[in-house]
Amino acid sequence: MNLRRNQTGGTIVVLTDEYVDYRKDLVDTISGIVSQSGYGTLCIAGQQMGNSSVCNSIYCLATEIDVVGIICLTGTLGQKLSNDELATFINRFKVPVLSLGLPIEGVDSVFVNDCDGMIGLMQHLLKNRDCSRLAFIRGFPGDPYSLRRESIFRRVLEENGHRVDEDLFVEGNYDAFRTYGAVTSLLKRRQDVDTFVAANDIMALSAARAVKVAGYSIPDDIAITGFDDTSEATRNSPPISTVRQPFDSMASLSVNRLLQRIAGECGSEAPDDAGKSDCYQVCVDCEFIPRASTHSRPGHDETLSIGDTASISRWLHAAMSGLSTPDTLDLEVLSSALWQSMTTDCSAAAECMQDMLDRSASFKNIHWWVNLCDRIESLTVAMLGQGFTPEASVRILLALSRIRERMWAFNVEHDYHMRRHQGLRAAMQLRMSSCSDQDGLLQTMTWWLQAMEPRRSYLVKYDKAGERPDENASLLHQYQDGQVFQPEEKSFPTRQLLPDHLLDELRTGELVLNPIHAGGLQFGYLLMDPVGFEQLDLHSAAHSIGNAMRTHFHIGKLEYQADSLQAANQRLLKLAHYDTLTDLPNRSSFQEALGRRCQNGESLILMYMDLDGFKAVNDSAGHDAGDQLLRQVADRLRECVSELLDERACLARLGGDEFTLIASGHFTLSGISAIANRLRQSLSMPYLIDDLTHCISVSIGCARFPEDADSSTLLIKNADAAMYDAKLQGKNAFSVFPLSESASLPRVRQA
């Protein structure tokens, strides 16, 4: 059944770097408000600007397509740009534009005031917990939010007579893996740390894991605080104290102002002049939310006088400040029910909360409910000190336990759907990797969408691939309301985004646009309706489609641009025998070369190499960074082989992060050791990718022919066994088959 409303007001565009975590929640909130006003929402996610990403050029579409207004999430999109650069970017658009996140001169802006929330957090730590050794976990270098929070951290410490210890500043980079490693390292050299203050919740949660693994208790030994008030922070054990940013209020203010601009209610004669002389600049305050990770529950240090329904109402509203109460729910009704259960022997509170949860039963509202339950639980503690009977507190606590059991069930169901979607995406990516033609790509798209069941999905292909969107495009795949349609591959102007008969879809509900890209080229874009999906990694899906399109694109170039059949065959042969990412021989070429040399009776060694730590880089920094890392690894391997060996050596990439080296000749154990150590030394040097430094290492296994094997198959098996022995040594090591011979070699483990 098609549940979408018939809307014809136009399209409002939201520009962001990625459609994930809190950006997703913010975009979805904006979309809900926009939809009620009769407009559609188009979210364009073209990666963070300032990183020289080919995806950034997708934002040029916002200057061409027919839209009525734009909301730019400058806080995430432009973290690496100056305000002047952001202003230049925004002024390109000829429709009303609003900056959400950062204040931009001459541009309508809604932004957040970190100061009050951060000061409240610091005062809570210093006065309520008597913390004295506070560590700060930073975000991206140069990030304005992280810098501002760090500045307040330093200032409050100094104002309260504490020395700022530069050794207690941790480079977290807004990354869970990097934060975990940095916190672990700090705890090894400093046993006096009693608090970690993180610039966001992601790093706070990672720090909490590192603290627990190190053997410390939270909050008895070490307190943890974050920033942003994400749902993950409330689900952690113990819940993380944080600073709440009122995203719902910011979204509402942004949309309402933009709609005023669109309607011409701001006194401007033309869009080009709107906001220049009467610029709308609204700063929204943050609020510190104390939780169990700092030895405090919400309101623990407040004095509550429980005298009537109104006092309970004030208590609840204070806790829910900055959160959007689900539709149809009324805290006044709940306050009255709580008062009845506190003063009479009745189950009014339990019945009221059960009814409220029945009417708002969805994972989307879990964060709101967790905050409410925390506040009501603290209310029961205050009751015991103000003359209420223990039985009254028990009645309310039993009601809370039933509510929390329901929320636990929601979490279990949510986790199941997340794992299912992750599995489907992984399966789709695997299938896409083997697609060499358009038919295979479309079949995989159909399988994936029928399994995911989005409301709408449109795959658009540019007529010509390039670094920027082409002027013309065609609809390649259409999925709508549970059906797959075979579109006519007829070109339309890219500025439309969709063919004529589908233009109304842009004015309806919410669509997210992700560029389809690979190898520095854009091939098109994926438009998908995200409604109903709590976890939807469109960037990874689009990247996989881009890889398949790149393969098809390269094959097409060979077919149509080859000067002769012989030249085309040579290029196709290279694609068949060489890895397209690193340009090294692939698994097929490796097996053919090794088998040929073994059959000829050549003396040789086979080194099997597996990268240590590559998955962490790929998961944290993204597939593009992982691809760049593998290319740099291949270049370093070529350089080492050129330096140490001659043309008798042959490198190959087997797939993933596995590489091999075949070298003909007789080699002593010391000679093998010298080669392996040179390879290890080269690959362990830091890698600079998109202005970020990554460190990995390599585990190497070696076997000789014919001493250790009488066939190429057995030689591979023995070299692989030696490689796993190197892994067991602690990684960043090498081993020679038979494994007993490795005992005489120096073993170097990763520090």
Side-chain angles (χ1 to χ4, degrees), residues 249-297:
S249 299
M250 295 172 69
S252 179
L253 288 168
S254 300
V255 174
N256 290 338
R257 171 59 179 183
L258 187 66
L259 292 177
Q260 289 176 0
R261 289 279 309 279
I262 293 170
E265 295 176 2
C266 302
S268 276
E269 294 296 328
D272 287 346
D273 298 324
K276 301 296 183 181
S277 59
D278 186 21
C279 191
Y280 179 81
Q281 300 273 313
V282 175
C283 182
V284 183
D285 292 331
C286 290
E287 179 186 8
F288 172 57
I289 308 296
R291 296 196 180 106
S293 70
T294 57
H295 247 325
S296 176
R297 297 183 183 278

Side-chain angles (χ1 to χ4, degrees), residues 38 60 80 143 169-170 210 229 294 315 334 346 358 372 427 474 590 619 639-640 645 679 683 716:
C60 72
K80 296 189 176 181
D143 172 58
F169 287 85
V170 176
D229 190 29
T294 57
W315 178 256
L334 176 58
C346 73
D358 288 341
L372 180 67
S474 59
F590 157 74
D619 289 347
E639 182 179 354
C640 289
L645 303 165
L679 294 173
L683 297 189
I716 293 173

Side-chain angles (χ1 to χ4, degrees), residues 125-138:
L125 294 173
L126 296 176
K127 295 180 180 180
N128 290 20
R129 282 187 54 91
D130 296 324
C131 298
S132 59
R133 294 291 183 271
L134 291 81
F136 185 83
I137 307 176
R138 293 168 168 147

Side-chain angles (χ1 to χ4, degrees), residues 78 98 149 153 180 187 257 351 548 560 587 606-607 683 709:
L98 184 137
R149 292 160 196 173
F153 174 88
Y180 182 91
L187 292 175
R257 171 59 179 183
E351 294 171 358
Y560 295 108
R587 181 183 293 272
L606 170 62
M607 286 190 173
L683 297 189

Side-chain angles (χ1 to χ4, degrees), residues 297-299 304 306 312 315-317 319-320 331 334-335 337-339 341-342 349-350 352-354 356 368-383 392-401 403-404 407:
R297 297 183 183 278
L304 171 64
I306 309 172
I312 298 174
W315 178 256
L316 295 183
H317 278 287
M320 312 312 288
L331 289 179
L334 176 58
S335 301
L338 285 168
W339 178 251
S341 292
M342 292 164 59
C352 180
M353 284 190 283
Q354 187 67 43
M356 289 174 63
W368 186 88
W369 273 101
V370 169
N371 279 274
L372 180 67
C373 288
D374 281 348
R375 180 60 93 175
I376 295 176
E377 184 176 351
S378 65
L379 175 67
T380 64
V381 176
M383 288 168 55
S393 293
V394 169
R395 281 195 298 272
I396 296 175
L397 288 173
L398 286 175
L400 284 180
S401 69
I403 296 299
R404 283 174 167 152
M407 290 191 291

Side-chain angles (χ1 to χ4, degrees), residues 524-712:
Y525 46 85
L526 177 65
L527 279 166
M528 187 172 287
D529 190 329
V531 175
F533 292 95
E534 295 295 340
Q535 199 273 344
L536 186 62
D537 191 347
L538 290 177
H539 174 70
S540 295
H543 185 72
S544 300
I545 298 169
N547 282 331
M549 283 191 170
R550 177 175 61 175
T551 300
H552 185 216
F553 171 75
H554 285 308
I555 292 175
K557 285 187 66 177
L558 292 176
E559 291 175 347
Y560 295 108
Q561 296 179 2
D563 295 332
S564 65
L565 180 60
Q566 181 180 4
N569 286 336
Q570 290 175 348
R571 295 281 300 277
L572 290 171
L573 187 62
K574 183 175 181 180
L575 287 176
H577 292 280
Y578 283 79
D579 173 49
T580 57
L581 180 64
T582 63
D583 208 31
L584 289 175
N586 59 16
R587 181 183 293 272
S588 174
S589 294
F590 157 74
Q591 292 174 337
E592 179 182 344
L594 183 63
R596 183 175 62 253
R597 295 192 185 196
C598 290
Q599 287 178 359
N600 293 339
E602 295 181 32
S603 295
L604 55 87
I605 60 171
L606 170 62
M607 286 190 173
Y608 213 103
M609 294 170 276
D610 188 272
L611 303 181
D612 308 319
F614 171 75
K615 185 178 184 300
V617 175
N618 212 28
D619 289 347
S620 62
H623 296 286
D624 285 342
D627 289 350
Q628 292 182 54
L629 178 62
L630 290 174
R631 282 193 288 268
Q632 291 188 33
V633 167
D635 290 340
R636 295 186 187 186
L637 288 174
R638 289 190 189 93
E639 182 179 354
C640 289
V641 169
S642 175
E643 174 187 331
L644 300 174
L645 303 165
D646 54 20
E647 65 275 6
R648 295 174 301 167
C650 176
L651 281 167
R653 180 193 176 208
L654 302 190
D657 58 352
E658 295 179 339
F659 296 81
T660 59
L661 169 63
I662 305 170
S664 297
H666 294 280
F667 293 84
T668 64
L669 287 178
S670 61
I672 294 172
S673 175
I675 296 172
N677 278 328
R678 180 68 180 87
L679 294 173
R680 285 182 46 261
Q681 179 185 16
S682 178
L683 297 189
S684 297
M685 296 294 289
Y687 298 79
L688 183 62
I689 299 172
D690 293 335
D691 296 330
L692 298 179
T693 300
H694 302 277
C695 292
I696 62 170
S697 59
V698 63
S699 296
I700 304 175
C702 181
R704 297 159 292 188
F705 183 90
E707 292 92 337
D708 301 331
D710 57 4
S711 68
S712 61

